[in-house]
Amino acid sequence: MTTTEKFWHLNDCCKIKSQENLLEMLKTSKHLIDALYMPNDLKRTDGPQQTRIRDKIFERVSFSKTHISGFIFRNCIFKNCLFIGTAIGNCEFHNCKFVLTNTHKIKISGTYIDPNSFNKCLDQSKHQNIGVHLYQILLDNSRGTRQIEFERDAQFLFLRWKRFQEWYEIQNWPEQEARVSRQFVLKCLAYTRRLAWEKLFGSGLRVRYFFGTVTFAIALFSTLNYQLRDNFGLMRQGEPVSSCLETIYYTIISFTTLGYGDIVPTTSMGQFVASAQSLIGFSLLALFASMCFRKISP
Protein backbone atom coordinates (compact mmCIF):
# COMPACT_ATOMS: atom_id res chain seq x y z
CA MET A 1 0.00 0.00 0.00
CA THR A 2 1.39 3.40 -0.94
CA THR A 3 1.86 6.30 1.47
CA THR A 4 -1.06 8.13 -0.16
CA GLU A 5 -3.37 5.15 0.32
CA LYS A 6 -2.33 4.77 3.97
CA PHE A 7 -3.31 8.38 4.52
CA TRP A 8 -6.91 7.41 3.75
CA HIS A 9 -7.19 3.70 4.64
CA LEU A 10 -5.64 1.34 7.17
CA ASN A 11 -5.66 -2.36 6.35
CA ASP A 12 -4.67 -5.41 8.40
CA CYS A 13 -5.65 -3.72 11.66
CA CYS A 14 -6.93 -5.38 14.79
CA LYS A 15 -10.47 -4.30 15.59
CA ILE A 16 -11.23 -2.73 18.95
CA LYS A 17 -14.89 -3.46 19.53
CA SER A 18 -15.52 -1.60 22.79
CA GLN A 19 -14.29 1.36 24.80
CA GLU A 20 -13.43 -0.97 27.69
CA ASN A 21 -11.27 -3.04 25.37
CA LEU A 22 -9.32 0.08 24.31
CA LEU A 23 -8.73 1.24 27.88
CA GLU A 24 -7.51 -2.23 28.91
CA MET A 25 -5.04 -2.27 26.03
CA LEU A 26 -3.71 1.16 27.04
CA LYS A 27 -3.17 -0.06 30.62
CA THR A 28 -0.75 -2.74 29.46
CA SER A 29 1.00 -0.93 26.60
CA LYS A 30 2.31 2.56 25.89
CA HIS A 31 2.32 1.95 22.14
CA LEU A 32 -0.94 1.11 20.39
CA ILE A 33 -0.32 0.19 16.76
CA ASP A 34 -2.41 -0.99 13.80
CA ALA A 35 -5.82 -0.74 15.40
CA LEU A 36 -9.30 0.16 14.21
CA TYR A 37 -11.62 1.58 16.86
CA MET A 38 -15.07 0.31 15.96
CA PRO A 39 -17.60 1.93 18.36
CA ASN A 40 -19.19 5.22 17.42
CA ASP A 41 -18.36 6.83 20.78
CA LEU A 42 -15.39 7.24 23.09
CA LYS A 43 -16.91 8.95 26.11
CA ARG A 44 -16.01 9.77 29.67
CA THR A 45 -16.87 7.04 32.15
CA ASP A 46 -17.73 7.29 35.85
CA GLY A 47 -14.18 6.55 37.00
CA PRO A 48 -12.19 9.80 36.50
CA GLN A 49 -8.88 7.99 36.17
CA GLN A 50 -10.17 6.10 33.15
CA THR A 51 -10.65 9.35 31.24
CA ARG A 52 -6.98 10.39 31.53
CA ILE A 53 -4.62 9.01 28.91
CA ARG A 54 -0.98 10.03 29.16
CA ASP A 55 2.42 9.14 27.66
CA LYS A 56 0.90 6.97 24.93
CA ILE A 57 1.79 6.55 21.26
CA PHE A 58 -1.02 5.84 18.82
CA GLU A 59 0.42 4.65 15.49
CA ARG A 60 -1.75 3.72 12.52
CA VAL A 61 -4.88 3.83 14.66
CA SER A 62 -8.22 4.83 13.18
CA PHE A 63 -10.73 6.89 15.16
CA SER A 64 -12.68 7.81 12.04
CA LYS A 65 -16.33 8.79 12.52
CA THR A 66 -15.92 8.49 16.30
CA HIS A 67 -17.36 10.96 18.79
CA ILE A 68 -14.66 11.54 21.43
CA SER A 69 -15.74 13.49 24.51
CA GLY A 70 -14.62 14.06 28.10
CA PHE A 71 -11.08 12.66 27.71
CA ILE A 72 -7.81 14.25 28.81
CA PHE A 73 -4.73 13.37 26.75
CA ARG A 74 -1.25 14.28 28.05
CA ASN A 75 2.08 13.81 26.26
CA CYS A 76 0.49 11.61 23.59
CA ILE A 77 1.61 11.18 19.99
CA PHE A 78 -0.80 10.33 17.16
CA LYS A 79 1.21 9.11 14.17
CA ASN A 80 -0.27 8.03 10.82
CA CYS A 81 -3.70 7.95 12.44
CA LEU A 82 -7.11 8.56 10.92
CA PHE A 83 -9.51 11.14 12.33
CA ILE A 84 -11.72 11.29 9.25
CA GLY A 85 -15.10 12.71 10.23
CA THR A 86 -14.19 12.48 13.93
CA ALA A 87 -16.02 14.77 16.37
CA ILE A 88 -13.99 15.87 19.39
CA GLY A 89 -15.81 17.73 22.15
CA ASN A 90 -15.05 18.82 25.71
CA CYS A 91 -11.62 17.20 25.69
CA GLU A 92 -8.12 18.36 26.64
CA PHE A 93 -4.88 17.74 24.74
CA HIS A 94 -1.78 18.75 26.70
CA ASN A 95 1.60 18.59 24.95
CA CYS A 96 0.27 16.22 22.28
CA LYS A 97 1.52 15.85 18.70
CA PHE A 98 -0.27 14.81 15.52
CA VAL A 99 2.12 13.47 12.85
CA LEU A 100 1.04 12.61 9.29
CA THR A 101 -2.51 12.23 10.51
CA ASN A 102 -5.62 12.57 8.34
CA THR A 103 -8.05 15.10 9.86
CA HIS A 104 -10.41 15.30 6.88
CA LYS A 105 -13.77 16.80 7.99
CA ILE A 106 -12.79 16.68 11.66
CA LYS A 107 -14.92 18.62 14.16
CA ILE A 108 -13.48 20.13 17.36
CA SER A 109 -15.46 22.11 19.93
CA GLY A 110 -15.13 23.06 23.58
CA THR A 111 -11.66 21.53 23.62
CA TYR A 112 -8.30 22.66 25.00
CA ILE A 113 -5.82 22.04 22.19
CA ASP A 114 -2.79 23.87 20.84
CA PRO A 115 -3.01 24.47 17.05
CA ASN A 116 0.77 23.97 16.88
CA SER A 117 0.18 20.32 17.81
CA PHE A 118 -0.71 19.81 14.13
CA ASN A 119 2.45 21.38 12.64
CA LYS A 120 3.64 18.00 11.31
CA CYS A 121 0.20 16.66 10.56
CA LEU A 122 -0.33 17.48 6.87
CA ASP A 123 1.67 17.86 3.66
CA GLN A 124 1.35 21.42 2.33
CA SER A 125 1.77 20.24 -1.26
CA LYS A 126 -1.01 17.60 -1.07
CA HIS A 127 -3.49 18.42 1.67
CA GLN A 128 -4.20 22.14 1.31
CA ASN A 129 -7.99 21.84 1.53
CA ILE A 130 -7.75 19.60 4.60
CA GLY A 131 -5.37 22.08 6.24
CA VAL A 132 -7.66 25.06 5.57
CA HIS A 133 -10.60 23.19 7.10
CA LEU A 134 -8.55 21.96 10.09
CA TYR A 135 -7.28 25.39 11.08
CA GLN A 136 -10.66 27.01 10.50
CA ILE A 137 -12.10 24.48 12.97
CA LEU A 138 -9.25 25.13 15.42
CA LEU A 139 -9.78 28.89 15.08
CA ASP A 140 -13.50 28.56 15.81
CA ASN A 141 -12.75 26.28 18.76
CA SER A 142 -10.17 28.69 20.22
CA ARG A 143 -12.56 31.63 19.90
CA GLY A 144 -15.43 29.66 21.40
CA THR A 145 -13.34 28.66 24.43
CA ARG A 146 -11.61 32.09 24.71
CA GLN A 147 -8.13 30.61 24.36
CA ILE A 148 -6.59 33.90 23.20
CA GLU A 149 -3.04 32.70 22.59
CA PHE A 150 -4.23 29.65 20.68
CA GLU A 151 -6.63 31.84 18.69
CA ARG A 152 -3.74 33.92 17.31
CA ASP A 153 -1.76 30.82 16.39
CA ALA A 154 -4.80 29.23 14.73
CA GLN A 155 -5.52 32.39 12.73
CA PHE A 156 -1.90 32.65 11.59
CA LEU A 157 -1.83 29.00 10.50
CA PHE A 158 -5.25 29.30 8.84
CA LEU A 159 -3.97 32.20 6.72
CA ARG A 160 -0.82 30.22 5.89
CA TRP A 161 -2.83 27.24 4.65
CA LYS A 162 -5.06 29.57 2.66
CA ARG A 163 -1.86 30.68 0.93
CA PHE A 164 -0.92 27.05 0.27
CA GLN A 165 -4.37 26.55 -1.26
CA GLU A 166 -3.98 29.61 -3.50
CA TRP A 167 -0.56 28.39 -4.70
CA TYR A 168 -2.05 24.98 -5.51
CA GLU A 169 -4.81 26.67 -7.55
CA ILE A 170 -2.22 28.76 -9.42
CA GLN A 171 -0.12 25.70 -10.23
CA ASN A 172 -3.17 23.77 -11.42
CA TRP A 173 -4.88 26.51 -13.41
CA PRO A 174 -7.22 24.79 -15.89
CA GLU A 175 -5.87 26.00 -19.25
CA GLN A 176 -2.46 27.20 -20.30
CA GLU A 177 -3.97 30.00 -22.38
CA ALA A 178 -6.01 31.23 -19.42
CA ARG A 179 -2.84 32.00 -17.49
CA VAL A 180 -2.72 35.40 -19.17
CA SER A 181 -6.30 36.18 -18.14
CA ARG A 182 -7.20 38.95 -15.73
CA GLN A 183 -8.53 36.44 -13.21
CA PHE A 184 -5.25 34.53 -13.16
CA VAL A 185 -3.21 37.72 -12.76
CA LEU A 186 -5.41 38.84 -9.84
CA LYS A 187 -4.99 35.41 -8.23
CA CYS A 188 -1.20 35.72 -8.52
CA LEU A 189 -1.25 39.23 -7.08
CA ALA A 190 -3.40 38.09 -4.17
CA TYR A 191 -1.01 35.22 -3.48
CA THR A 192 2.01 37.56 -3.63
CA ARG A 193 0.33 39.99 -1.23
CA ARG A 194 -0.53 37.19 1.20
CA LEU A 195 3.02 35.78 0.98
CA ALA A 196 4.63 39.18 1.64
CA TRP A 197 2.23 39.95 4.49
CA GLU A 198 3.06 36.63 6.16
CA LYS A 199 6.82 36.56 5.62
CA LEU A 200 7.47 40.23 6.38
CA PHE A 201 4.98 40.90 9.16
CA GLY A 202 3.73 37.51 10.33
CA SER A 203 0.22 38.33 9.03
CA GLY A 204 0.07 40.99 11.76
CA LEU A 205 0.06 38.20 14.37
CA ARG A 206 3.68 37.15 14.92
CA VAL A 207 5.84 39.87 16.50
CA ARG A 208 9.16 38.15 15.70
CA TYR A 209 8.48 38.46 11.96
CA PHE A 210 7.85 42.17 12.46
CA PHE A 211 11.09 42.75 14.36
CA GLY A 212 13.04 40.82 11.73
CA THR A 213 11.63 43.09 9.00
CA VAL A 214 12.30 46.26 11.02
CA THR A 215 15.89 45.17 11.69
CA PHE A 216 16.43 44.49 8.00
CA ALA A 217 14.89 47.86 7.00
CA ILE A 218 17.06 49.80 9.45
CA ALA A 219 20.18 47.96 8.26
CA LEU A 220 19.25 48.62 4.61
CA PHE A 221 18.61 52.35 5.06
CA SER A 222 21.63 52.75 7.33
CA THR A 223 23.80 51.31 4.57
CA LEU A 224 22.09 53.53 1.99
CA ASN A 225 22.53 56.65 4.14
CA TYR A 226 26.20 55.85 4.73
CA GLN A 227 27.05 55.08 1.12
CA LEU A 228 25.21 58.15 -0.21
CA ARG A 229 25.83 60.52 2.70
CA ASP A 230 27.53 63.04 0.41
CA ASN A 231 24.68 62.90 -2.11
CA PHE A 232 22.16 63.39 0.70
CA GLY A 233 24.24 66.21 2.16
CA LEU A 234 24.05 64.81 5.69
CA MET A 235 25.44 67.43 8.07
CA ARG A 236 25.94 67.50 11.83
CA GLN A 237 26.57 70.90 13.40
CA GLY A 238 27.85 72.20 10.09
CA GLU A 239 30.21 69.27 9.53
CA PRO A 240 29.66 66.43 7.03
CA VAL A 241 28.65 63.10 8.56
CA SER A 242 31.49 60.63 8.16
CA SER A 243 31.00 57.64 10.48
CA CYS A 244 28.77 54.60 10.15
CA LEU A 245 27.47 55.00 13.71
CA GLU A 246 26.22 58.49 12.90
CA THR A 247 24.22 57.21 9.90
CA ILE A 248 22.75 54.38 11.99
CA TYR A 249 21.71 56.94 14.60
CA TYR A 250 20.22 59.18 11.90
CA THR A 251 18.30 56.25 10.39
CA ILE A 252 16.79 55.20 13.73
CA ILE A 253 15.81 58.80 14.52
CA SER A 254 14.14 59.07 11.10
CA PHE A 255 12.36 55.73 11.44
CA THR A 256 10.96 56.57 14.86
CA THR A 257 9.86 59.97 13.46
CA LEU A 258 11.48 61.77 16.39
CA GLY A 259 13.18 64.24 14.05
CA TYR A 260 15.76 65.31 16.63
CA GLY A 261 17.47 67.54 14.08
CA ASP A 262 21.15 67.32 15.02
CA ILE A 263 21.78 65.48 11.73
CA VAL A 264 19.93 66.90 8.73
CA PRO A 265 19.92 66.31 4.95
CA THR A 266 20.76 69.42 2.93
CA THR A 267 19.98 68.22 -0.59
CA SER A 268 16.64 67.57 -2.28
CA MET A 269 17.48 63.89 -2.70
CA GLY A 270 18.41 63.59 0.97
CA GLN A 271 15.24 65.32 2.09
CA PHE A 272 13.12 63.04 -0.12
CA VAL A 273 14.74 59.89 1.28
CA ALA A 274 14.43 61.20 4.85
CA SER A 275 10.71 61.82 4.27
CA ALA A 276 10.29 58.30 2.88
CA GLN A 277 12.07 56.84 5.91
CA SER A 278 9.79 58.76 8.27
CA LEU A 279 6.65 57.56 6.46
CA ILE A 280 7.87 53.96 6.49
CA GLY A 281 8.76 54.27 10.17
CA PHE A 282 5.35 55.75 11.01
CA SER A 283 3.61 52.88 9.19
CA LEU A 284 5.71 50.29 11.03
CA LEU A 285 4.99 51.91 14.39
CA ALA A 286 1.26 51.93 13.63
CA LEU A 287 1.41 48.25 12.71
CA PHE A 288 3.37 47.46 15.87
CA ALA A 289 0.77 49.28 17.98
CA SER A 290 -1.97 47.23 16.30
CA MET A 291 -0.11 43.98 16.98
CA CYS A 292 0.41 44.93 20.63
CA PHE A 293 -3.29 45.74 20.96
CA ARG A 294 -4.21 42.35 19.52
CA LYS A 295 -1.85 40.63 21.93
CA ILE A 296 -3.22 42.24 25.09
CA SER A 297 -6.87 42.60 24.13
CA PRO A 298 -9.26 39.80 25.15
Side-chain angles (χ1 to χ4, degrees):
M1 181 179 290
T2 65
T3 303
T4 302
E5 290 173 334
K6 288 180 180 179
F7 188 75
W8 293 97
H9 304 283
L10 297 177
N11 291 342
D12 303 323
C13 293
C14 69
K15 296 181 179 180
I16 302 175
K17 298 184 178 180
S18 69
Q19 178 170 320
E20 292 73 19
N21 185 205
L22 172 65
L23 297 176
E24 285 299 321
M25 294 174 69
L26 292 175
K27 284 182 180 179
T28 59
S29 175
K30 288 189 175 182
H31 193 172
L32 182 63
I33 186 170
D34 291 327
L36 176 62
Y37 187 75
M38 298 294 292
N40 293 326
D41 297 305
L42 180 59
K43 294 185 176 181
R44 177 175 181 172
T45 58
D46 293 335
Q49 293 301 321
Q50 290 182 303
T51 64
R52 293 181 171 88
I53 300 176
R54 64 183 305 154
D55 303 319
K56 304 297 183 182
I57 299 176
F58 298 84
E59 185 172 0
R60 295 194 299 277
V61 178
S62 174
F63 290 101
S64 294
K65 299 181 181 180
T66 302
H67 182 201
I68 304 174
S69 63
F71 271 76
I72 301 174
F73 297 86
R74 292 185 182 272
N75 306 319
C76 293
I77 298 175
F78 299 87
K79 185 177 182 181
N80 296 114
C81 294
L82 300 184
F83 284 84
I84 302 174
T86 303
I88 301 175
N90 301 312
C91 292
E92 297 179 22
F93 291 81
H94 299 272
N95 196 31
C96 295
K97 301 294 180 185
F98 296 81
V99 182
L100 298 176
T101 291
N102 191 337
T103 60
H104 182 59
K105 293 187 178 180
I106 193 172
K107 297 178 182 178
I108 303 173
S109 61
T111 295
Y112 179 90
I113 187 168
D114 186 349
N116 293 300
S117 301
F118 296 88
N119 282 348
K120 297 182 179 180
C121 184
L122 301 169
D123 187 335
Q124 69 183 54
S125 64
K126 300 177 182 177
H127 311 132
Q128 304 86 0
N129 57 333
I130 299 177
V132 170
H133 174 266
L134 169 64
Y135 288 106
Q136 177 66 73
I137 291 296
L138 290 169
L139 178 58
D140 293 341
N141 173 72
S142 299
R143 285 175 174 170
T145 53
R146 299 184 65 81
Q147 300 171 46
I148 305 301
E149 189 65 32
F150 289 168
E151 179 184 342
R152 285 192 291 269
D153 289 339
Q155 186 174 2
F156 174 81
L157 293 167
F158 170 70
L159 293 173
R160 170 173 285 181
W161 280 87
K162 284 282 288 182
R163 177 171 64 81
F164 293 156
Q165 178 68 27
E166 286 180 350
W167 179 243
Y168 175 83
E169 293 173 359
I170 290 172
Q171 288 184 311
N172 295 273
W173 203 257
E175 299 178 5
Q176 189 69 27
E177 295 78 8
R179 294 196 173 191
V180 296
S181 65
R182 181 174 181 272
Q183 187 178 4
F184 179 77
V185 172
L186 290 176
K187 174 70 74 173
C188 291
L189 291 175
Y191 172 80
T192 302
R193 177 188 58 80
R194 191 185 295 275
L195 176 64
W197 178 234
E198 176 190 325
K199 296 300 183 182
L200 295 178
F201 304 108
S203 300
L205 298 163
R206 295 286 173 89
V207 176
R208 66 177 182 270
Y209 286 75
F210 172 83
F211 280 119
T213 299
V214 169
T215 301
F216 174 78
I218 290 176
L220 177 64
F221 277 98
S222 294
T223 303
L224 180 68
N225 289 331
Y226 179 72
Q227 295 294 334
L228 300 177
R229 60 191 182 279
D230 294 332
N231 301 78
F232 295 164
L234 296 183
M235 305 291 290
R236 184 171 192 172
Q237 298 178 350
E239 297 292 330
V241 169
S242 58
S243 72
C244 182
L245 288 176
E246 286 180 312
T247 55
I248 293 174
Y249 163 75
Y250 167 72
T251 302
I252 294 174
I253 291 298
S254 299
F255 259 73
T256 54
T257 66
L258 294 176
Y260 186 67
D262 53 340
I263 299 178
V264 295
T266 58
T267 67
S268 298
M269 181 188 298
Q271 291 167 354
F272 174 80
V273 173
S275 300
Q277 288 178 118
S278 297
L279 289 174
I280 292 172
F282 177 80
S283 299
L284 291 174
L285 286 173
L287 176 59
F288 180 63
S290 174
M291 294 174 71
C292 290
F293 177 77
R294 286 189 182 187
K295 200 167 186 66
I296 64 175
S297 64

